[in-house]
Amino acid sequence: MRTDARQHHDPAVRGFASDNYAGAHPEVLAALTLANGGHQIAYGEDDYTDHLQRVMHSHFGAGAEAFPVFNGTGANVTALQALTDRWGAVVCAETAHINVDEGGAPERMAGLKLLTVSTPDGKLTPELIDRQAWGWEDEHRAMPQVVSITQNTELGTVYTPDEIKAICEHAHERGMKVHLDGARISNAAASLNVPMRTFTNAVGVDVLSFGGTKNGMLFGEAIVVLNPDAVQQMKHIRKMSMQLASKMRFVSVQLEALLAKDLWLRNARHANAMAQRLAEGVRQVHGVEILHEVQANAVFARLPHDVSERLQKRYRFYFWDENAGDVRWMCSFDTTEDDVDGFLAALKEEMAR
């Protein structure tokens, strides 16, 4: 098929900056082509979005309802709006994506207050939640109504099902709801070797932001309502939050490509395996310290600042805490063993200089 577009990047360039840097999986691109013919009803009344509901039921039970959206920030902010009143607040880890990387969108767009808690590993516990879960009747304080956790966390650690169950029970006992930011939920399920329902609806999570872009989709995520009694007017909030796609079939068919069989799991297992290979190699390099247990597709490390700056000229990656010399290396579904081995060789060379 003819196009006037031209390739403007070198596809041989690889990096470890983010799993968002990867392209779309070929099976996802094939699904988009499959959905492209003819006309379909707009705004989610198409056959692909209808079928997506049945696909989601196979993963999260018959009561689950999926609301496709454009991106992860949109999923989180829309979900949190549907879970809170105008005076509500959300308890989250200090490192949570909603607090650090969403440009103030929860506060500016949803009009809610984030009550953050410092954690050693990115994971909340009932005890940590209680540092902010108080003062419901205090008119001078935003009312804690939701606990938001991330699976896997922004530090690459993974909650066990029992840990999430304890959080849900603790939150529900206090009249609070639980939101799970699942931007990398597939990597967490692959790490735990359990179905996604095992640590979501089966243990009490009310609403899930399901991530696809970091695991092979071109664009799009989904809000999955697991407890319909917990939310208010999700479809109306999605629209006013500018997250209602007119050609929704092109988001829904990507989610179907991931979830209808096992592409989501294959991609996640591969990314996790590449992170393990990277971590094993890094442990052999004197002077480089791995900071957190490598449980999914992220490796956090500390090394001399000047080494990182030289290495960044050869491979893209980000500082996590530049003052401390902490960096983050991410693996994706298309990371190869050669990518990892080449990066390790470059790391060893720069450390030896």
Side-chain angles (χ1 to χ4, degrees):
M1 184 175 294
R2 183 182 178 278
T3 177
D4 290 327
R6 296 291 182 267
Q7 190 170 67
H8 298 287
H9 78 292
D10 180 358
V13 172
R14 317 291 288 184
F16 294 85
S18 172
D19 33 12
N20 282 321
Y21 277 41
H25 193 280
E27 293 180 36
V28 171
L29 293 177
L32 285 165
T33 301
L34 187 72
N36 193 42
H39 289 197
Q40 280 276 285
I41 303 173
Y43 300 109
E45 296 185 45
D46 59 273
D47 293 336
Y48 294 91
T49 303
D50 178 66
H51 181 70
L52 175 64
Q53 303 305 324
R54 294 189 286 279
V55 173
M56 285 294 185
H57 293 167
S58 70
H59 289 279
F60 300 105
E65 185 176 7
F67 295 82
V69 294
F70 289 113
N71 54 47
T73 297
N76 287 337
V77 173
T78 303
L80 292 175
Q81 284 186 85
L83 287 166
T84 53
D85 294 312
R86 189 67 180 87
W87 50 87
V90 176
V91 179
C92 64
E94 194 173 62
T95 52
H97 199 273
I98 57 174
N99 182 51
V100 177
D101 291 304
E102 294 186 348
E107 295 93 340
R108 293 175 63 87
M109 302 303 295
L112 53 83
K113 172 79 172 173
L114 297 180
L115 302 173
T116 63
V117 182
S118 178
T119 70
D121 55 3
K123 295 162 68 172
L124 290 176
T125 64
E127 294 74 22
L128 289 173
I129 289 167
D130 281 347
R131 293 183 182 179
Q132 291 285 15
W134 52 272
W136 286 274
E137 299 304 320
D138 183 350
E139 65 206 61
H140 301 287
R141 190 170 194 266
M143 183 185 292
Q145 293 185 319
V146 177
V147 174
S148 181
I149 60 175
T150 311
Q151 177 77 318
N152 45 271
T153 75
E154 287 76 12
L155 298 182
T157 53
V158 175
Y159 287 95
T160 66
D162 285 345
E163 287 172 331
I164 297 180
K165 181 179 180 181
I167 287 171
C168 291
E169 290 177 349
H170 192 75
H172 291 157
E173 286 171 359
R174 284 151 180 75
M176 303 172 71
K177 303 161 188 174
V178 178
H179 164 257
L180 190 147
D181 179 349
R184 297 184 176 94
I185 187 174
S186 300
N187 301 91
S191 176
L192 293 167
N193 196 29
V194 298
M196 290 181 286
R197 69 170 66 88
T198 306
F199 55 85
T200 53
N201 51 307
V203 294
V205 172
D206 295 299
V207 174
L208 161 70
S209 296
F210 180 88
T213 308
K214 292 178 171 64
N215 197 33
M217 282 175 52
L218 181 63
F219 64 92
E221 319 279 301
I223 301 165
V224 185
V225 176
L226 304 173
N227 175 14
D229 294 331
V231 300
Q232 306 174 60
Q233 300 296 336
M234 179 65 77
K235 68 178 184 178
H236 293 284
I237 293 172
R238 176 176 61 174
K239 173 64 176 180
M240 75 178 197
S241 299
M242 298 168 286
Q243 288 294 318
L244 179 65
S246 57
K247 297 184 179 181
M248 196 179 296
R249 58 171 153 160
F250 296 110
V251 181
S252 298
V253 76
Q254 293 181 76
L255 290 162
E256 179 185 349
L258 274 187
L259 292 167
K261 291 188 178 179
D262 67 345
L263 180 59
W264 67 277
L265 187 57
R266 283 187 279 131
N267 285 354
R269 280 176 172 166
H270 177 80
N272 290 1
M274 292 302 97
Q276 289 295 335
R277 184 183 185 92
L278 176 59
E280 289 168 9
V282 169
R283 291 187 184 101
Q284 308 306 313
V285 182
H286 180 71
V288 182
E289 176 189 1
I290 291 180
L291 299 175
H292 305 290
E293 188 175 357
V294 179
Q295 296 181 309
N297 62 323
V299 178
F300 288 80
R302 179 173 296 162
L303 62 160
H305 191 278
D306 61 323
V307 173
S308 290
E309 288 190 321
R310 292 197 303 270
L311 192 58
Q312 283 176 324
K313 295 176 182 178
R314 303 171 67 172
Y315 289 88
R316 283 295 301 270
F317 62 88
Y318 292 116
F319 280 102
W320 187 256
D321 181 342
E322 190 164 2
N323 289 331
D326 299 351
V327 300
R328 185 191 74 168
W329 298 318
M330 297 297 304
C331 296
S332 63
F333 77 89
D334 66 348
T335 302
T336 68
E337 292 184 355
D338 286 344
D339 293 336
V340 173
D341 295 346
F343 180 78
L344 288 170
L347 173 62
K348 292 174 183 176
E349 290 172 9
E350 297 301 342
M351 286 295 294
R353 283 177 60 179

